[in-house]
Amino acid sequence: MTEIIKLDAVIPESLHGLRLDQALAQLFSEYSRGQLSKWIKAGDVLLNQQACRPKDTVKVNDQVAITAQQLTTNDHWEAEAIDLDIVYEDDELLIINKRAGMVVHPGAGNQHGTMVNALLAHTPQLSQIPRAGIVHRIDKDTTGLLMVAKTLQAHHSLISQLQQRTVLREYQAIICGVLAAGGSVNAPIGRHHIDRKRMAVTTNGKPAITHYRVEKRFRAHTHIRCKLETGRTHQIRVHMAYLHHALLGDPLYGGRFKIPKGMTETCLQALQSTRRQALHAGLLGFDHPATGEAVSWQIPMPDDMQHLLEQLQTDADQGLP
């Protein structure tokens, strides 16, 4: 099927002087610069209501409008009767609590057992919505809240809110090391120059901003909350590793496991048995696509992360003088 893409934006001061294709890649980061350039060359992009070229320079308050078509792959995805933890559902949207180990989208090596397969069985009409209604992803081994659009109106609304950075997404994480205080990371993220399965902070990456605050400090770990201003692949995992405080249990960015000095045996066993990054999408909020009302959902951490925090607290208490 074909998806109709309709986007518009005003060039902010931060993008003044850039090439048009560069500016669009930052404004509409869910699309590649190559795809955006194709749309410009095809006449699908108007700059101040005029035809334009990828190399044209943009100025503050320039108006950009995109109307383009993009093929989607919904027809190749199969419906499968897989249990979903549905937190909320109405005629416009679904809110899902994703479990650890579930892939969101079908892909190479994961054609079955994904959230998309489950959604198509639960709501067959999603076969007519781009990407089966999913407008953002969370990693396979990350748990928590995911929003799904059930109508084209809802899909356009949620995509627009993500682009405008008005969607509230808060995560809880357990990281290695003790953070002195909260803060923000403003560091662009792109593909690792050698390992293409990894992301990295790189000067050629897309803008990425993560805000974090400390919830609880332990002897060698910290419980934090993170708010995403942008939504890059592996963003929290990459940014925390960039601060040298990788997520506990992260197989991709965590490096070698280090045994904290003096840790209790039960706590050590709990840490060593961790098989996924300790990351949970616990809070999600946005304006409802139909009513415009501000809505939000919050769910507690799953049992495995709760158990880790309990063991870390017990270890910290036993280490007190």
Side-chain angles (χ1 to χ4, degrees):
M1 64 178 290
T2 301
E3 174 186 359
I4 304 299
I5 307 294
K6 289 191 175 183
L7 306 167
D8 58 79
V10 176
I11 301 297
E13 185 177 355
S14 61
L15 302 182
H16 177 82
L18 291 182
R19 286 171 52 114
L20 175 61
D21 56 355
Q22 292 175 325
L24 294 187
Q26 296 198 32
L27 287 170
F28 308 115
S29 58
E30 66 272 30
Y31 302 104
S32 69
R33 182 173 168 184
Q35 178 65 74
L36 292 163
S37 292
K38 288 179 182 178
W39 287 342
I40 297 171
K41 293 173 183 176
D44 296 333
V45 179
L46 297 179
L47 179 62
N48 297 323
Q49 301 181 339
Q50 301 292 323
C52 47
R53 301 167 299 175
K55 67 179 182 180
D56 288 345
T57 301
V58 298
K59 303 183 295 296
V60 177
N61 294 327
D62 278 353
Q63 296 185 352
V64 177
I66 301 175
T67 303
Q69 294 185 348
Q70 179 169 275
L71 292 176
T72 64
T73 57
N74 294 30
D75 294 341
H76 303 294
W77 297 340
E78 298 179 8
E80 298 178 22
I82 302 170
D83 288 339
L84 289 170
D85 183 358
I86 299 173
V87 176
Y88 174 84
E89 182 175 12
D90 62 21
D91 292 340
E92 298 291 328
L93 55 88
L94 277 158
I95 304 297
I96 306 294
N97 179 18
K98 191 188 82 66
R99 65 177 181 268
M102 174 176 268
V103 174
V104 173
H105 272 105
N110 291 296
Q111 290 297 322
H112 302 283
T114 72
M115 180 171 288
V116 163
N117 301 120
L119 286 169
L120 290 174
H122 176 76
T123 309
Q125 73 194 56
L126 290 175
S127 63
Q128 303 304 310
I129 308 297
R131 300 175 184 85
I134 293 177
V135 296
H136 68 127
R137 306 186 190 194
I138 53 180
D139 297 337
K140 173 184 176 182
D141 289 324
T142 298
T143 58
L145 295 169
L146 197 72
M147 55 185 173
V148 180
K150 294 174 64 176
T151 67
L152 285 174
Q153 174 194 357
H155 187 267
H156 293 324
S157 172
L158 295 177
I159 287 285
S160 176
Q161 292 182 60
L162 283 167
Q163 291 169 349
Q164 296 171 22
R165 302 183 181 181
T166 58
V167 175
L168 173 61
R169 288 172 290 173
E170 184 179 271
Y171 290 69
Q172 293 194 60
I174 304 172
I175 60 172
C176 298
V178 180
L179 271 179
S184 298
V185 184
N186 185 347
I189 291 176
R191 288 287 171 190
H192 193 280
H193 68 289
I194 296 176
D195 186 351
R196 305 304 289 176
K197 294 182 180 180
R198 293 162 55 96
M199 307 300 289
V201 170
T202 170
T203 55
N204 296 322
K206 294 179 179 179
I209 302 174
T210 304
H211 307 287
Y212 60 92
R213 72 176 189 265
V214 172
E215 284 291 302
K216 183 73 174 180
R217 297 180 185 87
F218 305 101
R219 287 204 290 177
H221 297 83
T222 309
H223 173 201
I224 63 172
R225 291 182 186 265
C226 298
K227 286 186 178 180
L228 294 182
E229 191 168 321
T230 54
R232 309 299 172 218
T233 301
H234 299 174
Q235 179 171 319
I236 294 174
R237 299 167 65 188
V238 171
H239 274 172
M240 290 301 108
Y242 178 68
L243 294 180
H244 305 291
H245 289 286
L247 268 61
L248 174 62
D250 194 329
L252 199 56
Y253 303 101
R256 291 185 59 186
F257 178 74
K258 298 179 180 178
I259 299 176
K261 185 177 180 180
M263 176 164 282
T264 64
E265 185 63 29
T266 54
C267 188
L268 180 59
Q269 289 176 359
L271 298 187
Q272 290 177 324
S273 64
T274 302
R275 294 292 178 261
R276 71 175 184 94
Q277 64 269 8
L279 184 62
H280 174 66
L283 176 62
L284 177 65
F286 50 85
D287 291 340
H288 193 282
T291 67
E293 178 187 0
V295 291
S296 64
W297 295 266
Q298 188 168 2
I299 53 172
M301 287 185 295
D303 290 344
D304 61 344
M305 286 183 64
Q306 295 275 15
H307 178 66
L308 284 170
L309 289 178
E310 290 168 2
Q311 291 299 320
L312 290 169
Q313 185 61 59
T314 298
D315 174 74
D317 292 342
Q318 292 188 13
L320 292 174

